[in-house]
Amino acid sequence: MTGITNPVVAVQLENLLGNLGVEAASGLELKVSGSDPVLDTPWRVGEAAATALLAQGILIDKLWRLRYPAAGVQALELDIVAAALSTFRCNYLRQNGYSIPFPDIEYPTVGLYPTGDGKYVFINGGFPKLRRGMLRLLDCADNKEALTRALSKWRAEDIETAAREAGLCCIVCRSAQEWRESAQGAALYAALSRGEYLWPVVIEKIAESPAQPCGSIGAGGRPLSGVKVLDLTHVLAGPTCGMLLAEQGAEVLRINGPQVPSILPFVMDTGHGKRNTQLDLKTDAGRDTLWSLVDSGADIFTESYRPQTFANLGFSPEALAERLSGQGRGIIYVSVNCYGHLGPWRDLPGWEQLAQTGTGLAWEQGRYKEGAPQLLPTFPNDYITGYLAACGILAALLRREIDGGSYHVHVSLCATAMWLQSMGRVGTELLPPVAPNDEAFQSLLLEDSSTGYGHLQYFGHPLQYSVTGARWERPSVPIGFNTASWSK
């Protein structure tokens, strides 16, 4: 692809755009520099992140040209170093000059542990309910020594099964081949081989409706101006997607449930550009308010809970599509989960670390380090899945603009991990890489502003747009700061 000399990115970008049903860019200049390795891992994290970010930029440019026919030539510029570091953007967050701790992901109940049969499992009890459940299942105290002793009495697959049946988070550390042979991995790869599952993003048309143009914009207009997004996601992948849409002018309303725990630094760092409210969807009043937001112009509905959560509340993809088709409108519904939207584990809760451990990423990271399995020094599945979700939304917006209809976009952490594995590994003779120039990096990519959390320094925009720009028009605000309404 013109302007991309990195062969991995060029091939992967062409494939990704093809799976999204989008033609290659025209009237657009691409300036891509650098290559992996950037991070201390054999996986091509920088090139995968760069591919997803560039696909997003190409789709943004296509929407901008539809809405502003007089658009000139725009250039997209991306350094693969910046793309790689964006997959650990939360590490750069500073509040009033101080770093922010992440206690939820540093509890003893979050980590890799050996089992009695010489294997390893990752348990994730970061949130209170999951933590209490895991300690109850293992019948042990909440410290690493007690957890190590308890898990040494289990076979890896037995504790994985017991935790799964209890609705808890535990997964066996598998190699990539063992993941292919697992029940869930086999289901995903079988669907891929049949052409039923074009990963890493799946876009499914779920209802008909008339073509729905987003409307024209004048010179200086933002590509996503007037596009309304309901962000009902949590932790990282889903909120990252909403943040990227806000970067290009979408109005994003983050909705939190009062009973739902959160990891505050992640909320702070993915809140740029968004308004933030609370709704109790277990009440009639909360559900009525959400329906009013859907009816009053929502274009996009994103969620990242277990598949039946919103269906049980009445907000399934089909329910929203049917309601809006009666209004002559379509909606784009986005589901983000850990294990994929098909297969026997599709309903299970899961997080970044479980996706790394289950699919083979952590196994290979440990093998490269000539030791036990270990996690990557970054969160590639979370952040890149967020980038890919934005790509799916933008591709669906293009379809709705021209053909009409409602669409269901599926992304998952494990599908992203499988996509990353498909790119192959960096030769170990190149590792570990030379660290990026911190001073140059900070001057280019770190931003700061006054927010509802005080003065924040944070990771900015790795992908640069020469004409439409990349910026957030609202500062990050605390949970529940805004009313449950659209601002315009």
Side-chain angles (χ1 to χ4, degrees):
M1 191 171 288
T2 304
I4 303 179
T5 57
N6 183 301
V8 174
V9 174
V11 169
Q12 293 298 329
L13 182 57
E14 183 176 359
N15 291 341
L16 177 57
L17 291 174
N19 283 352
L20 291 169
V22 177
E23 294 182 359
S26 59
L28 181 64
E29 295 179 0
L30 302 176
K31 301 176 181 178
V32 181
S33 57
S35 63
D36 278 317
V38 175
L39 306 167
D40 192 9
T41 176
W43 300 109
R44 296 181 180 275
V45 173
E47 288 159 347
T51 300
L53 286 167
L54 286 166
Q56 171 204 321
I58 289 167
L59 288 158
I60 284 290
D61 187 73
K62 287 180 178 293
L63 279 165
W64 176 56
R65 291 176 185 282
L66 276 176
R67 304 186 70 186
Y68 181 49
V73 175
Q74 174 155 246
L76 301 180
E77 187 167 357
L78 179 63
D79 189 319
I80 287 171
V81 170
L85 297 179
S86 77
T87 65
F88 199 38
R89 57 170 294 132
C90 56
N91 189 53
Y92 299 98
L93 186 65
R94 299 291 183 272
Q95 182 182 29
N96 298 321
Y98 294 96
S99 60
I100 304 171
F102 293 82
D104 306 81
I105 61 176
E106 295 171 354
Y107 290 133
T109 47
V110 179
L112 274 162
Y113 285 91
T115 52
D117 54 354
K119 296 183 179 181
Y120 283 79
V121 294
F122 195 98
I123 59 172
N124 193 319
F127 287 157
K129 183 177 179 180
L130 296 174
R131 183 163 59 253
R132 291 193 299 267
M134 185 58 67
L135 293 173
R136 187 163 52 247
L137 176 64
L138 294 174
D139 190 23
C140 72
D142 189 8
N143 61 68
K144 286 189 176 295
E145 293 76 16
L147 285 160
T148 299
R149 286 195 300 272
L151 285 163
S152 71
K153 301 173 184 177
W154 286 80
R155 291 179 65 254
E157 292 191 6
D158 290 344
I159 184 62
E160 179 188 71
T161 300
R164 184 167 66 241
E165 291 175 350
L168 303 173
C169 292
C170 173
I171 196 165
V172 175
C173 183
R174 293 177 167 87
S175 67
Q177 183 59 38
E178 289 170 334
W179 169 248
R180 280 182 174 269
E181 295 168 356
S182 71
Q184 183 63 20
L188 295 178
Y189 277 111
L192 272 172
S193 67
R194 295 192 301 266
E196 298 171 2
Y197 188 72
L198 295 176
W199 82 176
V201 185
V202 175
I203 305 174
E204 176 189 7
K205 189 172 187 179
I206 56 175
E208 299 291 342
S209 64
Q212 192 175 332
C214 293
S216 61
I217 54 176
R222 308 300 307 283
L224 297 182
S225 292
V227 174
K228 294 180 178 179
V229 183
L230 292 170
D231 180 353
L232 292 99
T233 63
H234 62 154
V235 190
L236 275 180
T240 294
C241 169
M243 180 180 66
L244 291 177
L245 300 176
E247 177 192 79
Q248 292 298 320
E251 181 178 359
V252 182
L253 181 61
R254 174 79 180 272
I255 296 177
N256 303 272
Q259 307 94 348
V260 179
S262 61
I263 300 175
L264 185 57
F266 293 162
V267 176
M268 296 165 69
D269 196 46
T270 58
H272 307 298
K274 304 178 185 179
R275 298 170 68 247
N276 193 307
T277 194
Q278 278 197 316
L279 285 178
D280 187 349
L281 298 180
K282 294 184 178 180
T283 67
D284 291 341
R287 291 190 294 273
D288 288 345
T289 300
L290 183 55
W291 276 122
S292 72
L293 290 166
V294 170
D295 290 338
S296 57
D299 298 285
I300 298 158
F301 185 106
T302 66
E303 58 86 13
S304 61
Y305 293 82
R306 300 191 201 188
Q308 291 305 309
T309 299
F310 281 94
N312 292 339
L313 293 169
F315 295 91
S316 68
E318 295 76 18
L320 267 69
E322 181 179 0
R323 186 178 180 110
L324 293 189
S325 64
Q327 302 171 16
R329 297 198 294 126
I331 195 160
I332 294 151
Y333 193 107
V334 185
S335 296
V336 184
N337 73 3
C338 180
Y339 294 108
H341 73 278
L342 50 81
W345 296 359
R346 64 185 181 276
D347 295 336
L348 299 182
W351 317 96
E352 165 75 44
Q353 304 99 322
L354 290 113
Q356 286 194 33
T357 304
T359 60
L361 297 185
W363 185 88
E364 184 66 29
Q365 183 74 16
R367 194 167 76 105
Y368 147 62
K369 291 289 190 178
E370 299 182 349
Q374 61 180 268
L375 299 177
L376 279 64
T378 178
F379 301 151
N381 300 313
D382 265 329
Y383 284 111
I384 297 175
T385 299
Y387 302 164
L388 292 167
C391 291
I393 288 169
L394 296 169
L397 271 177
L398 278 170
R399 296 185 193 184
R400 193 187 70 163
E401 176 102 10
I402 298 168
D403 300 325
S406 288
Y407 299 87
H408 192 181
V409 176
H410 303 269
V411 291
S412 73
L413 306 184
C414 285
T416 297
M418 291 159 60
W419 184 56
L420 178 58
Q421 289 173 322
S422 75
M423 299 180 194
R425 297 185 292 274
V426 177
T428 54
E429 72 278 1
L430 301 174
L431 293 163
V434 176
N437 184 311
D438 285 344
E439 184 177 346
F441 163 72
Q442 290 185 22
S443 67
L444 288 172
L445 286 173
L446 295 189
E447 299 183 1
D448 60 90
S449 64
S450 295
T451 76
Y453 297 102
H455 188 269
L456 289 187
Q457 182 185 59
Y458 48 88
F459 196 96
H461 313 277
L463 180 62
Q464 298 295 311
Y465 298 74
S466 65
V467 181
T468 60
R471 65 182 185 276
W472 292 299
E473 296 173 348
R474 299 176 183 275
S476 186
V477 295
I479 292 172
F481 185 81
N482 302 109
T483 59
S485 62
W486 299 114
S487 65
K488 299 174 183 178

